[in-house]
Every structure is written in structure tokens, then in C-alpha cells.
Amino acid sequence: MPADTGIVASLSRLGFTQYEAQAYGALVGQAALTGAEVGRRAGMPPSKVYETLGRLESRGAVLVNRSEPVRYRAVRTQRF
């Protein structure tokens, strides 16, 4: 199920790319998710998920738990 379109539109206005907004929107309000789970929830092509999550990590928008499997969680702050 793709991320909420309102969240995606708001994040796009803040400078997120479409894929970044979709991935972050998929993480909001969720427990930590794997990259594959993020991709499915966001409705993103699998080839774009990990690159996008890496950019979100570098922006400080997601926290990464480098367990096996790696899991991602949205940061709930206005740092980015």
C-alpha cells in the first residue's frame, strides 16, 4: 500500500525527492522495517529502495539498525 499522498506532498514541498518522500512516508508510524518492506509499503521499484534509504540516512531522516536483516525507522524530529 503506497504511503499517504498528503505526507508525500508535504515532504516534496520540503525538498524531498518523490522516492524519498514515499519511503519516509512508508516509515512514519511504523516499527522498524526492512528495505523490502519499505519498498512494498511505498510502492517503489525495488531497484530504488536502498539508494533512497541511504540518502534519507545521510539527511538524518531515518535511523538504521544494522542487524540482520537491516531495519530502518523514521526519525521523529524536524532536524532535516
Side-chain angles (χ1 to χ4, degrees), residues 32-37 50 64-72:
L33 300 174
T34 66
E37 291 168 328
Y50 294 98
V64 180
N65 181 347
R66 301 202 188 283
S67 60
E68 186 57 42
V70 175
R71 295 190 176 273
Y72 302 86

Side-chain angles (χ1 to χ4, degrees), residues 30-47:
Q30 302 295 318
L33 300 174
T34 66
E37 291 168 328
V38 172
R40 281 192 299 275
R41 287 179 180 271
M44 294 172 60
S47 62

Side-chain angles (χ1 to χ4, degrees), residues 5-54:
T5 55
I7 292 172
V8 171
S10 295
L11 292 170
S12 293
R13 285 192 298 274
L14 291 173
F16 282 61
T17 67
Q18 180 69 27
Y19 286 141
E20 288 170 348
Q22 285 176 235
Y24 186 82
L27 286 166
V28 170
Q30 302 295 318
L33 300 174
T34 66
E37 291 168 328
V38 172
R40 281 192 299 275
R41 287 179 180 271
M44 294 172 60
S47 62
K48 297 293 184 182
V49 173
Y50 294 98
E51 174 187 342
T52 300
L53 289 168

